[in-house]
Amino acid sequence: MARIVMKFGGTSMAGMERIRNVAARVKHVVSQGNEVAVVVSAMAGDTDRLVGFCKEASPLYDPAEYDVVVASGEQVTSGLLAMTLKAMGVDARSWLGWQLPIRTVEAHAKARVSDIDTIDLLASMRAGKVAVIPGFQGMMADGRVSTLGRGGSDTSAVAVAAAIKADRCDIYTDVDGVYTTDPRIVARARKLDLVTYEEMLELASVGAKVLQTRSVGLAMKEGVVVQVLSSFDDPAQTDLPGTLIVSEEELEAKLKEDKMERQLITGIAHDKNEAKIIVTRVPDKPGAVASIFGPLADAAINVDMIIQNDSKEKEETDVTFTVPRADLARSVDLLEAHKDTIGFRRIITDVEVAKISVVGVGMRSHAGVAATMFKTLADRGINIEAISTSEIKVSVLIDEDETELAVRVLHTAYGLDAPAA
Ligand code: ADP
Ligand code: ASP
Ligand code: MG
């Protein structure tokens, strides 16, 4: 017997027929003698609809009230799944975020899980009841509902798996694993049997939304065994053909066993959720940049790519950077409020940008990855608006309309295309 967390995403929970499929899959795993906790997302599209209502209510909505609204999608699906399981003869109950509770800290709308009470949960699971937990939601210290940021049900699942010391955390989604890039963009993307925590963390953080970034960080820290699987494959299949997230050592051992070389690049991701801000004609003096980013940091807004174009003659500089699109209105508002301290001329914004990133541990020991990227994009006439790098990643900001083309040509340039069928 194993203790397993099964997480089902929005597409898998979209409508009663799919919920019945999920229940059948859970029943199958329970019938093999396992103790199961299920973490569910809202039905696909529901969270977007709820976010839309919040924006309509007020462009600068209160994040605590936003959480009250958007957490409701998962409440619906958890109740429906528990009901469906019971109707199939599987004992189950739902546990809302505030009932367990799943305690969270930091900011509303992007809260972090701090701890989970598991005494009642485990007692109920031991008594043979499947626990159905709505993903994405938690509770702040003051008792208010919180949510974990978009895609946060993955993190709920990993946090629950760590808290109940589950043997496995299986993430069921609408693709059958982690690919070299989004298989919906590149038909010749290849499925990865294994990917390391570190590379998955980097891929997720630059837009591979198959797993929420925090879920990977948490799994790495807590040693949770995570597997990404399709919820549409046959549940009776025992050798599940998904992607397993492994440590660096486990990957090296497997490569050695199979006498395979490590690929230079593991994957390519794109992110259309950033917006570019240019703050023009800022005085070129110590403290100027700090006066821009200080207020944004205080408001928990994550600034990503940054470029400063200084013009020595005028002793002024333009500062360009990206923020999450969802935080654009708030960022501009904050900068305007600090206009006197910063001393800029104008704020220019652009939401029609996309960030394209190539990720691979192999680039630690190989030069030329960035050069290949720049040349490949230049050959297609794609202009680069900003660049950022880390030890295992190179990212560029381009025009949003060129996203698909850029991902496709880079996938080919780094030799990632699957052989033609
Ligand atoms: P869920 O609702 O199950 O959480 P998501 O939509 O959040 O599903 O994530 C699954 C989607 O992630 C896939 O449908 C796919 O389009 C996208 N995706 C992006 N990058 C990758 C990748 N490298 N491998 C697999 N899927 C990816
Ligand atoms: N329903 C939430 C979202 O769409 C959380 C999730 O699905 O992971 O972001
Ligand atoms: Mg998701």
Side-chain angles (χ1 to χ4, degrees):
M1 187 199 82
R3 186 177 288 165
I4 300 170
V5 172
M6 303 171 76
K7 181 259 170 177
F8 294 91
T11 321
S12 319
M13 297 299 291
M16 283 316 303
E17 196 186 329
R18 291 192 181 166
I19 291 179
R20 274 192 291 274
N21 278 338
V22 165
R25 186 177 289 277
V26 172
K27 184 176 179 171
H28 176 75
V29 175
V30 171
S31 71
Q32 292 173 320
N34 299 302
E35 240 175 42
V36 178
V38 189
V39 174
V40 294
S41 286
M43 295 193 196
D46 269 10
T47 311
D48 285 344
R49 196 171 56 92
L50 296 169
V51 171
F53 288 143
C54 294
K55 285 185 181 149
E56 228 180 280
S58 159
L60 289 173
Y61 49 74
D62 172 7
E65 298 302 350
Y66 162 96
D67 280 349
V68 172
V69 177
V70 300
S72 64
E74 272 75 6
Q75 173 158 343
V76 172
T77 48
S78 59
L80 288 174
L81 179 60
M83 265 180 215
T84 310
L85 282 166
K86 288 181 116 161
M88 284 184 180
V90 179
D91 201 7
R93 74 151 281 186
S94 63
W95 295 89
L96 300 184
W98 57 268
Q99 289 172 326
L100 280 169
I102 295 179
R103 292 197 186 82
T104 61
V105 290
E106 293 166 17
H108 274 284
K110 47 185 160 188
R112 195 167 56 77
V113 177
S114 57
D115 74 287
I116 302 179
D117 270 9
T118 56
I119 296 171
D120 294 344
L121 177 70
L122 283 172
S124 166
M125 286 172 71
R126 278 195 201 104
K129 267 193 190 7
V130 170
V132 185
I133 301 168
F136 188 45
Q137 54 174 256
M139 187 188 88
M140 289 296 199
D142 61 3
R144 300 202 69 177
V145 171
S146 59
T147 64
L148 310 181
R150 297 305 305 271
S153 297
D154 298 327
T155 302
S156 308
V158 172
V160 167
I164 65 173
K165 302 194 171 34
D167 298 283
R168 264 190 2 241
C169 179
D170 291 344
I171 308 277
Y172 288 93
T173 182
D174 54 7
V175 286
D176 60 357
V178 178
Y179 280 70
T180 46
T181 193
D182 189 341
R184 296 188 198 287
I185 292 200
V186 179
R188 288 176 69 182
R190 274 188 296 113
K191 194 175 86 186
L192 301 163
D193 295 333
L194 304 173
V195 62
T196 64
Y197 287 102
E198 194 187 1
E199 286 175 312
M200 192 62 236
L201 187 64
E202 197 83 57
L203 276 170
S205 77
V206 292
K209 70 163 185 163
V210 60
L211 288 175
Q212 199 202 30
T213 311
R214 274 208 182 133
S215 71
V216 187
L218 192 62
M220 185 160 142
K221 182 168 149 264
E222 302 285 340
V224 177
V225 177
V226 176
Q227 197 170 206
V228 178
L229 303 155
S230 165
S231 63
F232 299 106
D233 287 345
D234 178 5
Q237 218 170 316
T238 44
D239 53 340
L240 299 163
T243 299
L244 189 64
I245 323 269
V246 294
S247 67
E248 193 66 31
E249 297 73 38
E250 286 168 301
L251 181 72
E252 291 296 340
K254 182 81 176 98
L255 287 172
K256 212 164 166 187
E257 187 187 315
D258 295 349
K259 297 193 171 51
M260 302 248 301
E261 287 267 317
R262 190 165 190 157
Q263 290 271 347
L264 178 58
I265 297 300
T266 301
I268 301 176
H270 69 278
D271 186 355
K272 293 185 180 176
N273 287 315
E274 296 208 4
K276 183 173 80 172
I277 299 181
I278 308 177
V279 184
T280 71
R281 304 188 63 180
V282 179
D284 193 5
K285 60 167 199 230
V289 172
S291 69
I292 294 175
F293 296 120
L296 298 177
D298 292 343
I301 294 171
N302 285 327
V303 172
D304 184 18
M305 307 173 105
I306 303 175
I307 341 171
Q308 190 181 352
N309 306 320
D310 55 346
S311 103
K312 286 281 173 272
E313 286 141 51
K314 294 205 206 85
E315 295 185 336
E316 282 172 344
T317 158
D318 287 352
V319 181
T320 303
F321 55 94
T322 60
V323 294
R325 258 183 222 185
D327 290 330
L328 180 62
R330 216 184 296 278
S331 304
V332 171
D333 226 49
L334 276 165
L335 294 169
E336 291 289 358
H338 290 81
K339 187 166 187 177
D340 290 347
T341 347
I342 306 170
F344 60 85
R345 172 69 61 90
R346 230 157 46 96
I347 293 178
I348 303 166
T349 62
D350 184 359
V351 290
E352 282 157 17
V353 289
K355 184 170 73 169
I356 313 293
S357 309
V358 298
V359 172
V361 161
M363 69 176 80
R364 275 195 190 126
S365 50
H366 282 83
V369 169
T372 303
M373 186 176 198
F374 304 153
K375 167 114 184 25
T376 307
L377 297 177
D379 287 349
R380 292 298 180 125
I382 298 171
N383 188 42
I384 296 173
E385 301 177 30
I387 301 168
S388 71
T389 62
S390 80
E391 213 188 353
I392 64 165
K393 173 203 79 188
V394 184
S395 303
V396 295
L397 197 70
I398 62 168
D399 189 323
E400 185 180 10
D401 288 344
E402 292 174 319
T403 309
E404 280 75 13
L405 175 64
V407 173
R408 245 183 302 116
V409 295
L410 290 170
H411 199 264
T412 306
Y414 289 110
L416 295 174
D417 288 352

